Amino acid sequence: MISSPSAHSRAALSGRCVLGAFVLVVLCGACQPPSSSVRSHLTGRVAVDSSAGALDAYRDVRLLVVRPDGRRLDTLGHARPGPDGRFQMSISAPEQGLYALSLWGRGGRAQLASTEYVVAPGDTATLRVSLPLRGEGLRPVSPENRALQAYRNAMTMHRRLLTRRLRTAPSNATMQVQNIRLTSSVLWGLRDRYPATYARDLACRRVLLSARG
């Protein structure tokens, strides 16, 4: 007759099973491919004004989306406009966030302009560029990047208002509380106007920072 295992043996066996299951989960997780990156798309056209002169500066134009990676730049997207100036760019980033969108001339040797660009899942942006730029810069248009521009504009106006208030009234505890409330109100408004966007996340973070003082 085979005796049943003791309580101590059963506990040890149970512990080994739990440990084995844990190791199996870790190994399975390690063997799984990394999570897919965030992908977005940018299309548009780069037009050169032939009457502006200095056409060599705009020869072989290129557009890049990059992120800093240590001492080098990691290219997330690259496009070269065709003979008609039209281009398409697929962008693959490690996570949703702000990256650098830049325009280069002379075969990628001279940077003409750059701006912050939101890469978010499924976002499709358009970009129209007329060279020479004459100061207007790069203005990618998409739901995510419109939200980012609205966030920037709101924060710029808000900072001007706060500066004006500080000039006209002495800084005290009451004024600081009022400024915090005003900041939170502006940011929560952006959060409600642009739900499910990266700019909304920026606004939420600013609210938390404002609340902390």
Side-chain angles (χ1 to χ4, degrees):
M1 180 177 179
I2 301 176
S3 60
S4 60
S6 64
H8 178 74
S9 298
R10 289 196 300 270
L13 179 61
S14 177
R16 286 195 295 271
C17 289
V18 171
L19 178 60
F22 175 76
V23 172
L24 181 61
V25 169
V26 171
L27 289 176
C28 288
C31 293
Q32 289 176 350
S35 59
S36 59
S37 58
V38 175
R39 298 181 183 276
S40 67
H41 204 65
L42 177 65
T43 63
R45 187 170 184 265
V46 178
V48 179
D49 182 0
S50 58
S51 65
L55 292 180
D56 184 61
Y58 310 123
R59 185 176 300 161
D60 196 14
V61 170
R62 305 181 186 189
L63 293 111
L64 297 174
V65 174
V66 300
R67 66 160 181 159
D69 184 12
R71 295 184 178 181
R72 67 185 185 90
L73 294 176
D74 184 15
T75 301
L76 309 178
H78 172 260
R80 296 175 66 177
D84 61 354
R86 299 185 186 278
F87 69 88
Q88 294 188 10
M89 181 194 300
S90 294
I91 305 163
S92 180
E95 60 183 0
Q96 175 176 277
L98 292 178
Y99 299 92
L101 168 64
S102 55
L103 175 68
W104 296 75
R106 300 183 187 276
R109 297 189 300 274
Q111 181 171 298
L112 305 175
S114 66
T115 189
E116 286 187 324
Y117 179 76
V118 179
V119 177
D123 189 58
T124 298
T126 58
L127 177 66
R128 306 283 181 179
V129 180
S130 296
L131 296 175
L133 288 169
R134 297 186 176 91
E136 61 266 27
L138 303 179
R139 297 182 180 276
V141 178
S142 74
E144 288 283 351
N145 286 281
R146 275 195 296 266
L148 176 64
Q149 189 60 49
Y151 169 79
R152 287 173 172 161
N153 292 342
M155 291 308 300
T156 297
M157 294 179 62
H158 180 60
R159 281 192 290 269
R160 289 174 181 170
L161 178 59
L162 288 183
T163 301
R164 193 177 303 124
R165 292 184 65 176
L166 290 174
R167 287 175 178 171
T168 57
S171 179
N172 52 45
T174 301
M175 177 63 71
Q176 290 177 3
V177 170
Q178 291 177 351
N179 289 342
I180 290 173
R181 288 176 177 172
L182 180 60
T183 301
S184 298
S185 176
V186 171
L187 293 173
W188 279 118
L190 286 170
R191 174 183 175 275
D192 294 337
R193 285 174 57 198
Y194 300 98
T197 63
Y198 184 73
R200 173 192 181 277
D201 296 340
L202 290 178
C204 290
R205 293 173 199 165
R206 285 286 186 131
V207 169
L208 293 176
L209 290 175
S210 176
R212 290 174 183 172

